[in-house]
Amino acid sequence: ENPDAVLSALESLEKNCKSKFKQDPSAFSRDIMDNISGEWRLVFTTGTKERQKKSGGRVNYFPLKAIQKFDATVEPKIIEN
């Protein structure tokens, strides 16, 4: 996999999400809550821009299983690592 291509795709997705949020914050938030429940595998992190400058890197890959579980269908909502 090409880290630069992955980061470029993520940056594009983030810009698109920010635009949709600005257009209708309530609808955007509802869409997130309606679709977030389940298990999500964390395979990389980009960190903050400040961290990227300090480390000289942009994307860190995790060769281990890191799962976050979200359940937005219950009260209180659940997030597990």
Side-chain angles (χ1 to χ4, degrees):
E1 294 177 20
N2 180 335
D4 289 330
V6 171
L7 185 58
S8 178
L10 288 172
E11 287 174 339
S12 177
L13 180 62
E14 183 178 16
K15 286 179 185 177
N16 183 287
C17 286
K18 285 181 180 180
S19 175
K20 286 184 178 183
F21 178 78
K22 286 180 182 178
Q23 291 172 11
D24 190 344
S26 293
F28 184 83
S29 297
R30 279 191 308 276
D31 186 46
I32 294 291
M33 295 306 289
D34 289 346
N35 292 289
I36 199 166
S37 293
E39 292 184 353
W40 297 77
R41 183 172 178 201
L42 175 65
V43 292
F44 65 90
T45 180
T46 59
T48 63
K49 296 260 185 210
E50 182 178 319
R51 186 59 174 145
Q52 292 171 14
K53 288 178 186 174
K54 287 181 182 178
S55 67
R58 294 176 12 168
V59 177
N60 297 311
Y61 286 91
F62 293 91
L64 54 100
K65 187 176 180 180
I67 303 286
Q68 287 188 316
K69 180 180 177 184
F70 298 88
D71 190 347
T73 64
V74 297
E75 287 296 333
K77 308 218 179 312
I78 298 171
I79 299 175
E80 294 176 346
N81 289 317

